[in-house]
Amino acid sequence: MTFARWLRAFATLAVIGCGGTDTTTPTLPPSPFTLNVEGRGPVDERFTAELWVSGNYAYTTTWGTRTVGSVAARGNAIKIWNVQSLAPVLVDSIIVSDATTLGDVQTTADGKYLVVATEAVPGSIVIYDLQNPAKPVQIARFHNDDTDPGVHTAEIQPVNGKLYGFLSIDPRGGIPARLVIVDLSTPSAPTEVFTKVMGNPFVHDVYVRDGILMTALWNDGLAIFDIGGGGKGGTPSNPIQSGSVTTVGGKAHNIVWFHDAVTKSVQYAFVGEEGPGSIGSSSIGDVHVIDVSDLSNPKEVGFFTVPGAGVHNFSADEQRGILYLAYYNGGVRAISTRGDLGTCSASQKSSDGRCDLGKTGHVLAQGLTDVGGPVYVWGVQFTGDRLYASDMLNGLWSLSVVPSF
């Protein structure tokens, strides 16, 4: 079934279920489904890191140093994949100069530019023109004293029609972590418009939407800023804080603020906790559910945990109310974001009163748990008809959602 047919059928069922007079869509979690492996684009010589899919192409970064036999390969390569067929096909690679490891990779919404974060010293973002998406051409590299310790993550988003980069800078050599905001409205000539020390000890990642900036501040939890949409007069050059919450267990690593396209709910943000781990074998860390219906007073109301594995990055399917989770050695998981995630029975609560989504019927699927060897999944991205997963050990996986949406 195509997505359009699925959506029409879903809307029809909603009307029938309410007697034909109420068009309110049910908020119950969707039914469990299966994630099937369709193919793999192998990367054996480097550790695969972040991924981004745009049209018929995917881009993956590499991380750290991987030694195979007597050959050690640094994480300074961008891999370029054609994803028109079920299995990703490697079409080219780019070696980024003066980088020992790469972080985030993202294209602009119009698909014209690719932005990649580099570590360690000198930290930067590198900007590529994608006139030919199989052959990115570097047009700029932004680096200054503020980014020098290393750009760990870079989120590229528009604010009131202008494109910005939100860079999370590593603490290094006694220099504290900081956030740097860069004006990218002219991609070939980025300019810094804001910087501020924040994070304990990291500002690890951000989420930007509708003029709101959410920052993952590790042991300081989640902080929320108005940068043009919160009614406090903030801008990207002058963020004004609205509220904050310290997440249980600390180690706030990444964020998704979920905007459900069907129910229209914007009540929940999901924060990933990255605990200690060992590549290929172990990891720790939960998903934390934050009620952000009042941006000035966010509250943690729920969590999701996978015993023996830790979460890393997310991808949202906002049409169907599904959050896909990269779970390192635990493969890939999918949970429903619909319903009241902060209300549950006593048996479904933790000792501190938070709802355990593993006990409330919100678990939908898991994948890459039976591929015949270990996985260590860094990132996921859902594209509408397929899920992609970047695996540090094995490369880029393509998975189908069954039944087909």
Side-chain angles (χ1 to χ4, degrees):
M1 179 183 291
T2 66
F3 172 66
R5 289 175 57 199
W6 177 91
L7 188 57
R8 287 195 296 270
F10 190 88
T12 300
L13 288 173
V15 174
I16 293 172
C18 295
T21 59
D22 184 354
T23 58
T24 301
T25 303
T27 58
L28 294 175
S31 300
F33 55 88
T34 302
L35 290 170
N36 285 343
V37 173
E38 296 288 353
R40 176 174 71 95
V43 179
D44 300 318
E45 85 286 3
R46 287 176 167 86
F47 290 125
T48 298
E50 195 53 88
L51 82 157
W52 192 265
V53 183
S54 178
N56 293 327
Y57 290 89
Y59 307 89
T60 57
T61 56
T62 50
W63 178 91
T65 299
R66 185 176 192 177
T67 301
V68 179
S70 60
V71 178
R74 291 191 299 174
N76 59 355
I78 304 168
K79 304 283 187 175
I80 304 164
W81 308 85
N82 186 303
V83 292
Q84 286 181 287
S85 59
L86 293 179
V89 177
L90 185 66
V91 296
D92 206 351
S93 294
I94 297 173
I95 300 299
V96 181
S97 62
D98 296 325
T100 56
T101 194
L102 304 179
D104 281 0
V105 57
Q106 184 180 344
T107 65
T108 51
D110 58 13
K112 291 182 177 180
Y113 301 98
L114 178 75
V115 180
V116 176
T118 80
E119 298 174 288
V121 178
S124 69
I125 56 171
V126 186
I127 303 167
Y128 299 87
D129 183 282
L130 290 180
Q131 185 172 354
N132 179 350
K135 296 286 185 181
V137 175
Q138 182 175 330
I139 60 170
R141 186 167 191 161
F142 177 80
H143 161 264
N144 63 15
D145 289 345
D146 290 331
T147 69
D148 195 58
V151 181
H152 192 64
T153 61
E155 176 85 5
I156 312 303
Q157 293 295 343
V159 180
N160 294 327
K162 182 180 285 191
L163 189 65
Y164 293 90
F166 298 82
L167 318 185
S168 300
I169 309 303
D170 295 323
R172 193 177 303 278
I175 301 173
R178 66 173 57 239
L179 178 70
V180 170
I181 302 178
V182 178
D183 182 340
L184 291 173
S185 55
T186 303
S188 60
T191 57
E192 181 178 309
V193 297
F194 174 81
T195 185
K196 182 179 180 180
V197 170
M198 63 175 70
N200 177 24
F202 311 112
V203 51
H204 193 280
D205 206 352
V206 307
Y207 189 84
V208 177
R209 190 168 193 167
D210 298 338
I212 301 297
L213 165 67
M214 297 182 175
T215 58
L217 303 180
W218 211 249
N219 293 326
D220 283 345
L222 168 70
I224 303 172
F225 298 84
D226 171 20
I227 56 171
K232 293 181 175 293
T235 65
S237 59
N238 181 36
I240 297 176
Q241 186 164 339
S242 300
S244 65
V245 61
T246 302
T247 49
V248 175
K251 304 179 183 66
H253 170 272
N254 63 299
I255 307 160
V256 163
W257 180 17
F258 207 96
H259 287 44
D260 195 301
V262 175
T263 70
K264 307 305 180 184
S265 172
V266 297
Q267 184 175 0
Y268 298 110
F270 298 84
V271 176
E273 170 194 353
E274 185 179 27
S278 178
I279 296 174
S281 60
S282 66
S283 58
I284 300 172
D286 294 344
V287 179
H288 299 264
V289 183
I290 312 299
D291 186 330
V292 293
S293 51
D294 179 357
L295 293 173
S296 66
N297 187 31
K299 297 179 180 179
E300 183 168 347
V301 297
F303 69 99
F304 175 67
T305 189
V306 174
V311 75
H312 195 232
N313 285 330
F314 307 153
S315 182
D317 176 359
E318 295 187 333
Q319 286 289 346
R320 304 176 188 95
I322 299 170
L323 190 65
Y324 290 96
L325 313 169
Y327 244 97
Y328 275 146
N329 55 299
V332 175
R333 306 297 165 115
I335 60 173
S336 171
T337 64
R338 289 186 174 154
D340 185 346
L341 306 186
T343 300
C344 56
S345 67
S347 64
Q348 296 168 334
K349 290 182 179 180
S350 60
S351 59
D352 58 13
R354 294 175 299 147
C355 291
D356 182 346
L357 299 193
K359 298 179 179 179
T360 57
H362 284 79
V363 181
L364 300 176
Q366 66 180 42
L368 297 182
T369 55
D370 56 354
V371 294
V375 299
Y376 213 70
V377 182
W378 177 295
V380 286
Q381 186 175 346
F382 182 73
T383 63
D385 59 359
R386 202 175 300 171
L387 181 71
Y388 294 92
S390 57
D391 176 357
M392 295 186 74
L393 301 179
N394 300 296
L396 180 63
W397 296 93
S398 169
L399 300 97
S400 63
V401 177
V402 181
S404 174
F405 291 140

